[in-house]
Structure formats: structure tokens, C-alpha cells
Amino acid sequence: PAPPPPPPSTSSTPTPPTPHGRLPPAVWTRLYRSLSPFLRPISDAAVGESSLDFFHNQMQVAVSKRYLEGGDAALRMHRLLAEYFHKQADPTRDRSWKGPARAISELPYHLVRAKMFKEAESILTDLTFIERKCSLGMTFDLIGDYNEMTQNTNARSFIGSGLTPESLNRVKEFGKFVMECSHILSRQ
């Protein structure tokens, strides 16, 4: 295997969010140094950011089994990530969606995975959000968001979510529009 990358300096690598804010730099540095043999940096040119992923897929499977299986741990984790990315994507809370590309990219996925369907419907039918995501070159990712939403909802999903069959149909119609006009929207 390739040697691990050098540990990030606390000034150039942001510390990951926690439910109570960011990890203190000293904690993040120790954690990163301990885990670095199992991590690899990845860069996403579409969002202009880099992040970390597990070096081996088996590690991801093991961590998921240990920490996210059973109960609602995965749901809670997606909810935390959805809330974090929502704050990042819309920092002024005015639905202007002026946040970083990474937040715009990740928000719909985590809303759906957290079963926050009403919130997912709200952004996937928001023309300002659609325009912003397309302007960032993520038109085809947006189509994936619509597919994720419509494929991960069923009759049981509606209970207590605030989502109705009519609102799901509205999301489907927006998704159909974006898909049919993707050749135009992707030129934004």
C-alpha cells in the first residue's frame, strides 16, 4: 500500500464538525495521526474540496457494522450531517443557497437518508436551489437527488414525516422537468 499522507496542519485542514461544534485542533490532530494509515485523501473537482475516505472498502464496512448498524444510529448520523450541510448551504437562512458547493452537493442526500422528507421536498422544489446546483455543474447530481428521493420513499415513509403522496408527486414532476431539460440546465 501507498504510504499515508502527512498529517494535516491544523491551520490548513478544517476540523470535522461535531454535534456541539468543531473538534478542538489538538484532538483532531491526535485522531488523524492515529487513523492516517487507514485513510486516503480524495479530491472532488466538482465541489473544489478534498476530504478523507477509508483506504480499504473493508474498513468502511467494518466501521459501518460497528457504529451504524442496529437501532437508529445511521439515521441520527444522517440527520446530524443534514443539519450541518443545511447550515453550510444556506448560511443566512434566507433560502439564497450561497454556501459552498460541497454543502449544496451533500444536503439532499443526507436529508433523504435521515428521512427528513419534508425538508428534502422543500429544497428539491426550490427554484433557487435548483439554479444554484446547476450553476455549480451538478445538474446530473441533481437528477440523482430526485431519484434518491423517489426511490427511498414508500407508504411507511409518509408516517410522521409530513410528506404526502401529492408532495412526492410534486418532487417527481420537478425531477422530470430537470431531467428533460438537463441539456440546457447543465450549460448554466
Side-chain angles (χ1 to χ4, degrees), residues 134-135 139-140 177-188:
C134 291
S135 73
T139 304
F140 299 102
F177 166 78
V178 170
M179 188 165 38
E180 289 174 354
C181 298
S182 61
H183 63 288
I184 297 167
L185 295 170
S186 63
R187 288 189 248 149
Q188 293 290 327

Side-chain angles (χ1 to χ4, degrees), residues 10 19 28 30 34 36 38 53 63 67 71 111 120 133 159:
T10 56
W28 168 239
R30 284 194 317 259
S34 297
S36 65
F38 307 106
D53 197 2
V63 168
Y67 296 104
L111 286 172
K133 193 151 185 177
I159 300 170

Side-chain angles (χ1 to χ4, degrees), residues 7-185:
S9 71
T10 56
S11 62
S12 67
T13 303
T15 56
T18 67
H20 307 289
R22 293 198 174 274
L23 287 174
V27 173
W28 168 239
T29 301
R30 284 194 317 259
L31 180 64
Y32 181 82
R33 286 178 194 238
S34 297
L35 294 176
S36 65
F38 307 106
L39 301 174
R40 66 182 170 93
I42 55 173
S43 180
D44 190 345
V47 297
E49 292 185 7
S50 61
S51 56
L52 296 171
D53 197 2
F54 290 109
F55 192 78
H56 295 287
N57 189 41
Q58 292 88 354
M59 182 64 96
Q60 180 178 358
V61 170
V63 168
S64 293
K65 272 187 180 180
R66 172 107 188 234
Y67 296 104
L68 298 177
E69 277 189 5
D72 60 347
L75 200 65
R76 283 194 321 264
M77 190 57 56
H78 283 295
R79 180 173 291 276
L80 284 172
L81 288 167
E83 291 167 358
Y84 171 76
F85 285 124
H86 195 279
K87 288 176 188 169
Q88 294 285 310
D90 187 20
T92 56
R93 294 287 192 211
D94 61 358
R95 303 185 66 78
S96 62
W97 307 109
K98 295 185 193 280
R102 172 84 190 271
I104 300 293
S105 173
E106 296 284 341
L107 179 58
Y109 173 81
H110 290 292
L111 286 172
V112 171
R113 291 297 173 151
K115 298 188 179 186
M116 298 170 72
F117 298 123
K118 192 69 180 161
E119 292 87 345
E121 175 209 358
S122 177
I123 68 161
L124 291 174
T125 58
D126 181 330
L127 292 175
T128 306
F129 181 85
I130 294 167
E131 179 183 27
R132 172 79 166 131
K133 193 151 185 177
C134 291
S135 73
L136 291 168
M138 297 185 214
T139 304
F140 299 102
D141 293 338
L142 182 59
I143 293 169
D145 295 336
Y146 289 110
N147 290 337
E148 183 79 21
M149 172 79 170
T150 57
Q151 292 171 1
N152 281 294
T153 53
N154 55 41
R156 284 179 287 160
S157 302
F158 294 137
I159 300 170
S161 72
L163 190 68
T164 64
E166 294 79 21
S167 55
L168 183 59
N169 285 334
R170 185 169 175 236
V171 171
K172 287 179 182 179
E173 288 299 315
F174 269 82
K176 183 178 174 186
F177 166 78
V178 170
M179 188 165 38
E180 289 174 354
C181 298
S182 61
H183 63 288
I184 297 167
L185 295 170

